[in-house]
Amino acid sequence: MRPANLLKRAHSHNKQTISNLLHSRGTSPHPQPDLISGHKKVEEEENPNYKPENWYPARLGEILVHRYELVVKLGFGVTATVWLAKDLHADINSGNRKYVTIKINVNILGKEFQDGRRAIAEKLFSANPQHPGYGHVRFMLDTFKVHSKHGEHLCIVYDVLREPIDLCMTKFPHRRFTGSKLRILLPALLQGLDYMHSECRVVHTDLKPDNIMMGLGDPTILDVFVQQEHDHPSPRKAPDNHGRIIYRSRSDLGEAPTEAVIASAKITDIGLAAWGDEKNTKPIQSNAFMAPEVILQAGWSYPADIWNLGVMLFDLLEQIALFDSINTEPDNYRPEQHLGLMISLLGPPPKEFLARCAKAKKYFDADGQFKYPKYVGEDCKFEHAVHRLNPEDKELFIDFVQKMLTWAPEDRWTAKQLLDHPFLTKEREGCWDTPPLSRASTTSVGSMIPSRTGTPGLPPTSAPNNQTIHSNLPARLLELCPSLGSTEAPEPKIERQLSNGSLKAPATDERSASTTTLAQRPKMETLTESKSETDAETPNAKRLSANKQNESSQAMIDAILNRGKAHASKGEPSPTNGSSSKHPERE
């Protein structure tokens, strides 16, 4: 069973599509929502550590900071609820651009965590807008804080995207991607990862279907979506004694995504992202996606994301995923079982790799022999895991994933190299032969700390000049930030923040985002500023449920929340004691 994302959707409660909603209820001019019993736990209330005083009592129709009107609840998770909002400052004729997504966080996130997210967010936004992967990473558009009687809540504003791909693909035949659809999706993901790795020096650490979303496509889709909420209000509970109304989420945006929409996919949710050029050994990744260097504590960096992607492809293509046989529920995950399946697929790990693994002795003896041979299956091979591709595609696909799933991280291909693999290029080049491609040329990572001069296997990148090519920027960012289209050098606001100690320098390159007013660009610097106001028609239920998973991510989230509480108890600055004045994003 798969680990859940930071934010999970209650899609199991919203099986109605836009078309059948039109005919499902009466035509009363004042439709009334269905009420849910106060004795039943709903959505965020189902979180194990839910405390209502930590959550903002958001209500549909509420206007935040005199600008954003909440119109639909999109989702919820361990640390936030997510809402579709109308931007009252946007042009009324701006189509879907008059809507935004707002993530309202709990009031116990620590200042250290917030500052870390801000630094990474700024880097992702500003590193190199000319990179082809820039448009395949989701950015913040604005941030602000709102107040409840129990503290302050950080709010992060994003552009609006469709459902995550694990929900979108349920609308495909057989509820899975075909090989041709994968070849449309994967260039977007690989370009986005290459941007994060080579330009921003950022490791996502939690890449999975929940954290990949697609563009909207039809420019009228949100107007229709909002009208459905008006005509058929989502069920909800009456206010509790903290004033909170718990709404059912609504997330179905209609028909299956077109090829153009699939090609617009973006990587979302940097809530657990980390700098790739630091020494990283802490636990990351959902259990089913955990890379061997993470399990064995060999140190991890960018290749951990590549392993994630390789495992995830089986979730998108097949009814049974690569590591579905392991138990990933809290307290039941057994690393030795996971390692046994890896040995079945990859053969035994190289002794050179085990030599740098802090936990190798727990699972392997001095000769490199696995201590739990009962978990090594003889029938667990890549060839037996792929069923939905023709023979030629199957051969290329297996070779493709084998470039991503290797014991030693330095042996994995980089995102940039994978873009040239024949599984992706054969259709556009009319080629079936596998050209010789060099393996990732990371020098012996030993401790897995890549050089600051470039992503493993990639040449060093040079900083762009101050000119930004207008045509390469997303229309939404140009609308919010016209200065990005100019050739004037940006004001070095971020560098000033670095000099006075408010931010940690994320990398050696000196690119920085320009600073303008809210009307001009996303307010990346305002996080600490206060504003007072074909094979089976039935999906594998275990794998399509995004709600009972992710104990690795959950452990990190719990640690973050506990740090926030500790800061508050010591009187240190935190969002809950007056610091001055953000999947999923359905993240």
Side-chain angles (χ1 to χ4, degrees):
M1 286 177 281
R2 285 305 151 88
N5 188 11
L6 284 183
L7 291 185
K8 58 185 178 179
R9 282 97 39 213
H11 54 275
S12 62
H13 304 289
N14 290 294
K15 297 301 184 183
Q16 290 180 305
T17 63
I18 287 176
S19 60
N20 63 36
L21 270 171
L22 287 169
H23 307 287
S24 64
R25 299 191 183 182
T27 56
S28 167
H30 303 289
Q32 297 299 311
D34 292 337
L35 294 180
I36 302 170
S37 168
H39 299 290
K40 181 179 178 60
K41 290 185 177 181
V42 177
E43 306 233 336
E44 58 265 28
E45 292 180 306
E46 297 174 327
N47 289 323
N49 300 317
Y50 174 78
K51 293 182 180 179
E53 61 269 22
N54 296 337
W55 296 73
Y56 183 73
R59 301 195 178 202
L60 293 178
E62 179 178 0
I63 297 175
L64 304 179
V65 292
H66 306 292
R67 176 168 183 173
Y68 301 111
E69 180 184 0
L70 304 182
V71 291
V72 181
K73 183 184 179 184
L74 297 174
F76 70 101
V78 177
T79 61
T81 52
V82 184
W83 305 78
L84 182 69
K86 182 179 291 187
D87 184 352
L88 301 180
H89 291 186
D91 189 322
I92 194 171
N93 298 315
S94 59
N96 286 337
R97 295 182 186 175
K98 65 189 175 193
Y99 297 102
V100 296
T101 298
I102 299 182
K103 178 179 178 180
I104 307 178
N105 288 281
V106 293
N107 58 19
I108 53 175
L109 294 182
K111 184 177 184 298
E112 178 185 357
F113 174 77
Q114 293 186 47
D115 288 348
R117 297 313 92 198
R118 173 180 60 187
I120 288 177
E122 287 176 337
K123 188 65 177 179
L124 290 173
F125 176 78
S126 63
N128 182 8
Q130 300 178 43
H131 190 282
Y134 184 85
H136 295 294
V137 178
R138 195 184 204 184
F139 307 110
M140 299 179 188
L141 300 179
D142 190 9
T143 64
F144 57 90
K145 288 186 178 180
V146 292
H147 298 258
S148 68
K149 62 182 179 181
H150 296 288
E152 290 182 331
H153 302 261
L154 173 65
C155 300
I156 306 177
V157 182
Y158 301 93
D159 58 335
V160 185
L161 300 176
R162 287 185 67 104
E163 309 97 322
I165 59 172
D166 59 341
L167 295 186
C168 285
M169 73 183 188
T170 63
K171 301 173 184 179
F172 296 152
H174 308 292
R175 300 173 179 263
R176 292 293 181 272
F177 278 77
T178 60
S180 59
K181 282 186 171 67
L182 275 183
R183 282 189 280 271
I184 297 170
L185 173 70
L186 285 171
L189 304 188
L190 290 169
Q191 288 173 351
L193 280 178
D194 182 53
Y195 174 71
M196 295 182 72
H197 295 171
S198 65
E199 297 287 340
C200 306
R201 303 297 192 264
V202 168
V203 187
H204 187 281
T205 80
D206 198 28
L207 194 68
K208 54 189 177 184
D210 295 43
N211 293 336
I212 297 167
M213 302 173 77
M214 301 180 191
L216 288 168
D218 183 353
T220 67
I221 192 171
L222 291 182
D223 284 328
V224 175
F225 185 63
V226 171
Q227 188 63 43
Q228 299 318 307
E229 175 62 34
H230 177 271
D231 294 343
H232 309 279
S234 298
R236 64 205 64 182
K237 293 177 69 172
D240 61 18
N241 55 8
H242 294 272
R244 297 201 76 233
I245 299 175
I246 312 295
Y247 298 86
R248 288 284 192 201
S249 301
R250 169 172 267 153
S251 60
D252 191 340
L253 290 177
E255 300 303 317
T258 64
E259 290 187 357
V261 170
I262 294 172
S264 70
K266 293 189 178 187
I267 298 170
T268 68
D269 190 0
I270 63 164
L272 297 174
W275 299 114
D277 49 6
E278 296 179 353
K279 186 173 183 178
N280 296 309
T281 58
K282 67 182 180 181
I284 59 168
Q285 303 175 313
S286 304
N287 284 340
F289 298 102
M290 202 177 295
E293 66 268 27
V294 177
I295 297 174
L296 296 171
Q297 286 192 3
W300 53 263
S301 188
Y302 314 108
D305 281 345
I306 301 301
W307 176 279
N308 251 179
L309 181 62
V311 175
M312 187 185 74
L313 294 185
F314 289 86
D315 291 68
L316 305 184
L317 181 66
E318 297 294 336
Q319 298 293 332
I320 299 178
L322 205 56
F323 297 116
D324 260 1
S325 61
I326 65 174
N327 193 326
T328 59
E329 290 184 339
D331 302 322
N332 290 317
Y333 172 71
R334 299 181 63 85
E336 58 269 29
Q337 184 185 21
H338 200 169
L339 290 168
L341 288 178
M342 291 182 186
I343 294 172
S344 303
L345 287 166
L346 309 176
K351 290 184 179 181
E352 298 80 8
F353 170 67
L354 292 178
R356 63 179 192 250
C357 297
K359 287 190 173 182
K361 293 181 179 180
K362 183 175 180 180
Y363 305 103
F364 298 87
D365 64 22
D367 296 324
Q369 298 298 310
F370 189 47
K371 294 181 179 180
Y372 303 90
K374 67 178 182 179
Y375 291 122
V376 180
E378 296 181 359
D379 196 43
C380 185
K381 304 296 180 185
F382 285 115
E383 291 76 10
H384 302 153
V386 180
H387 305 281
R388 302 189 64 248
L389 296 176
N390 62 52
E392 295 85 357
D393 268 359
K394 178 176 179 177
E395 181 179 358
L396 287 174
F397 177 78
I398 290 174
D399 186 75
F400 184 58
V401 298
Q402 285 178 326
K403 299 299 187 290
M404 293 182 266
L405 303 181
T406 65
W407 285 105
E410 63 270 24
D411 289 339
R412 291 173 210 151
W413 283 17
T414 64
K416 188 176 182 68
Q417 288 175 311
L418 288 166
L419 282 164
D420 290 326
H421 191 280
F423 177 71
L424 299 182
T425 63
K426 75 178 186 69
E427 287 189 345
R428 69 173 183 259
E429 294 180 358
C431 172
W432 287 93
D433 296 327
T434 304
L437 292 174
S438 62
R439 78 176 197 174
S441 60
T442 335
T443 55
S444 175
V445 263
S447 61
M448 280 309 301
I449 307 176
S451 166
R452 286 178 178 268
T453 60
T455 301
L458 297 180
T461 55
S462 58
N465 57 29
N466 289 329
Q467 290 186 338
T468 301
I469 298 179
H470 186 103
S471 62
N472 285 345
L473 292 173
R476 173 68 172 171
L477 293 186
L478 286 171
E479 175 191 330
L480 293 172
C481 182
S483 64
L484 285 176
S486 74
T487 58
E488 298 180 1
E491 179 188 359
K493 172 76 172 186
I494 294 177
E495 292 183 7
R496 289 207 309 273
Q497 292 174 321
L498 291 169
S499 67
N500 65 25
S502 62
L503 282 179
K504 177 181 178 182
T508 56
D509 99 14
E510 298 179 359
R511 308 181 191 111
S512 63
S514 62
T515 56
T516 59
T517 65
L518 172 63
Q520 293 174 301
R521 64 157 291 163
K523 299 196 309 178
M524 312 297 290
E525 66 274 12
T526 60
L527 280 168
T528 57
E529 297 176 2
S530 172
K531 293 185 178 183
S532 57
E533 305 288 324
T534 49
D535 288 348
E537 296 295 342
T538 303
N540 184 321
K542 180 175 72 171
R543 295 181 53 240
L544 287 179
S545 172
N547 295 337
K548 295 187 187 228
Q549 313 165 356
N550 202 6
E551 50 279 10
S552 298
S553 299
Q554 178 64 54
M556 284 181 280
I557 293 166
D558 290 343
I560 290 164
L561 298 182
N562 289 335
R563 282 202 300 272
K565 295 176 184 176
H567 286 311
S569 65
K570 294 179 182 179
E572 297 176 9
S574 78
T576 61
N577 64 3
S579 62
S580 59
S581 182
K582 60 163 193 0
H583 296 116
E585 325 163 39
R586 256 187 312 180
E587 285 181 343

